[in-house]
């Protein structure tokens, strides 16, 4: 188990301790005069300690093995020291039988207790996982409602600004001193419109319309869309060559949105002379799409939060891009993960159910 007691001694040390205790108890028998019947009776009972301990520690096999070891250690004492002594001999034999009965019964009960403990632990883990998912779903629903309300409140005045902007552009020509201010308004309006779109995509995700899609074609289309941005920042953008095309049943528009977001983030993370690489490969039951960059990388503490809504490492950004991407991937029955280290770049992986195209 992942959280087993790490302070327990290694098994071989426990087994050595059990073996040593059996040897010491046997030596007490062999070195004690036979006239001390009470002492021998006490030493006999001492065998139960390693037997029960072995059964509790190692289960049925441990209990039976310890009982057999005690029996084998005790037999020579009976035959070579006590000899055939009538009632005493019968008592010794019955005690040896009890060694094995106690070892077996305690081992069976120990195994049952361990199985029950594992079952309760698994049930607790599943319950905790369900609680976390329910809590996350409730949180996401509340954030989605808030995002939707904010987006609608922004969209109405934004449409008014766009209308006024169009009127100004009809009257103010590129040569006028005021034209650059109108250009600033236009640029910022477009940025606001993009933010509103992100809010609405997060708040009201559209169910995917899956069709058989060539993932390499999708990656090449995203590379074409991102080429100008990459060139402006001095970043090299490539689609890794593959011996065969990889297909999956996805919504091409949504998957293009996911890849475009990942690629643009990777380009921004790289800086001049950086490299961004897209790749797709077929696994046994899935396909992996990776977007790798040679940027500054991420701190491991960011891994769990990077897909959370409104969490961003950028100075400008809503923190919704990766959250939207993950929701799209989850809607496709896939998973999304990141691997990174400071100063070693980052790799985002989208894993989707594979769809083999019949020949």
């Amino acid at each position: 188990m992942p959280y087993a007691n790490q302070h327990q001694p290694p098994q071989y040390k426990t087994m050595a301790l059990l073996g040593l205790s059996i040897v010491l108890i046997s030596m007490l028998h062999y070195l004690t005069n036979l006239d001390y019947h009470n002492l021998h009776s006490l030493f006999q009972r001492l065998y139960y300690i390693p037997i029960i301990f072995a059964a509790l520690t190692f289960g049925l096999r441990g209990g039976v093995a310890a009982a057999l070891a005690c029996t084998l250690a005790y037999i020579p004492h009976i035959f070579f020291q006590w000899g055939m002594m009538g009632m005493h001999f019968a008592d010794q034999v019955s005690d040896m039988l009890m060694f094995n009965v106690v070892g077996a019964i305690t081992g069976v009960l120990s195994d049952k207790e361990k199985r029950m403990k594992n079952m309760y632990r698994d049930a607790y883990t599943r319950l905790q996982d369900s609680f976390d998912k329910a809590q996350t779903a409730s949180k996401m629903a509340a954030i989605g409602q808030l995002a939707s309300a904010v987006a609608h409140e922004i969209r109405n005045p934004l449409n008014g600004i766009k209308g006024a902007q169009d009127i100004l552009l009809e009257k103010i020509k590129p040569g006028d001193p005021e034209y650059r201010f109108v250009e600033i308004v236009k640029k910022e309006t477009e940025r606001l419109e993009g933010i509103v779109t992100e809010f609405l995509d997060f708040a009201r995700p559209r169910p995917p319309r899956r069709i058989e899609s060539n993932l390499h074609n999708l990656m090449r289309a995203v590379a074409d869309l991102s080429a100008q941005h990459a060139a402006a920042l001095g970043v090299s953008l490539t689609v890794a060559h593959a011996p065969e095309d990889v297909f999956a049943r996805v919504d091409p528009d949504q998957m293009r949105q996911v890849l475009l977001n990942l690629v643009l983030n990777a380009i921004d993370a790289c800086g001049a002379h950086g490299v961004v690489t897209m790749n797709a490969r077929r696994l046994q039951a899935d396909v992996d799409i990776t977007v790798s960059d040679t940027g500054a990388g991420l701190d491991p503490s960011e891994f769990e939060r990077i897909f959370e809504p409104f969490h961003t490492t950028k100075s400008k950004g809503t923190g919704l891009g990766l959250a939207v991407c993950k929701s799209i991937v989850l809607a496709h029955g896939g998973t999304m993960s990141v691997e990174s280290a400071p100063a070693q770049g980052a790799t985002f992986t989208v894993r989707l159910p594979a769809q083999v195209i019949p020949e």
Side-chain angles (χ1 to χ4, degrees), residues 19-20 23-24 34 44-45 75 83 89 92 95 100 223 272-273 287 289-290 295 338:
L20 180 61
V23 170
L24 290 176
L34 296 179
Q44 227 170 300
R45 272 61 182 175
I75 283 176
F89 181 78
Q92 313 307 320
D95 277 330
N100 292 275
H273 310 297
V287 295
I289 309 172
T290 57
V338 61

Side-chain angles (χ1 to χ4, degrees), residues 24-229:
L24 290 176
I25 295 169
S26 301
M27 293 302 296
L28 289 174
H29 276 296
Y30 290 115
L31 298 177
T32 303
N33 193 293
L34 296 179
D35 294 331
Y36 297 102
H37 296 289
N38 290 334
L39 283 178
H40 281 283
S41 179
L42 173 64
F43 299 154
Q44 227 170 300
R45 272 61 182 175
L46 289 178
Y47 278 124
Y48 289 108
I49 296 175
I51 291 172
I52 293 173
F53 182 76
L56 292 175
T57 305
F58 300 109
L60 176 61
R61 287 185 292 182
V64 170
L68 289 174
C70 291
T71 301
L72 293 173
Y74 191 53
I75 283 176
H77 171 68
I78 298 174
F79 282 94
F80 296 120
Q81 289 191 292
W82 285 95
M84 308 293 285
M85 298 179 64
M87 183 182 297
H88 289 292
F89 181 78
D91 288 343
Q92 313 307 320
V93 172
S94 63
D95 277 330
M96 287 190 294
L97 291 174
M98 285 303 298
F99 292 163
N100 292 275
V101 170
V102 169
I105 292 176
T106 307
V108 168
L109 293 176
S110 176
D111 283 342
K112 184 176 180 180
E113 187 267 342
K114 288 177 182 176
R115 285 195 298 271
M116 293 294 291
K117 186 182 292 184
N118 290 337
M119 184 179 71
Y120 291 141
R121 186 175 294 155
D122 292 342
Y124 175 79
T125 302
R126 290 194 298 270
L127 182 63
Q128 185 67 39
D129 185 56
S130 298
F131 175 77
D132 290 342
K133 287 180 178 178
Q135 197 174 36
T136 301
S138 176
K139 177 183 175 183
M140 296 293 280
I143 293 175
Q145 290 177 355
L146 175 63
S148 179
V150 170
H152 282 295
E153 288 299 319
I154 293 175
R155 175 161 280 184
N156 290 332
L158 188 61
N159 288 332
I161 293 171
K162 287 178 66 179
Q165 168 193 293
D166 292 338
I167 294 172
L168 287 174
L169 283 173
E170 290 178 0
K171 295 183 177 181
I172 300 174
K173 304 304 178 186
D176 295 338
E178 296 85 0
Y179 186 81
R180 65 188 184 92
F181 297 109
V182 179
E183 283 290 301
I184 292 173
V185 172
K186 180 181 179 182
K187 183 178 178 181
E188 293 303 311
T189 302
E190 289 173 352
R191 192 163 73 89
L192 274 174
E193 198 168 27
I195 292 173
V196 170
T197 301
E198 280 192 350
F199 269 69
L200 291 175
D201 285 344
F202 174 74
R204 297 181 306 183
R206 173 177 63 80
R209 302 186 183 98
R210 297 182 180 88
I211 61 171
E212 294 170 354
S213 303
N214 186 324
L215 297 182
H216 284 285
N217 288 344
L218 283 177
M219 290 190 297
R220 284 187 279 269
V222 169
D224 291 339
L225 290 171
S226 312
Q228 186 175 357
H229 183 61

Side-chain angles (χ1 to χ4, degrees), residues 12 21 150 157 159 220 223 266 302 306 312 358:
Y12 70 88
S21 66
V150 170
N159 288 332
R220 284 187 279 269
E302 295 285 335
I306 197 165
T312 180

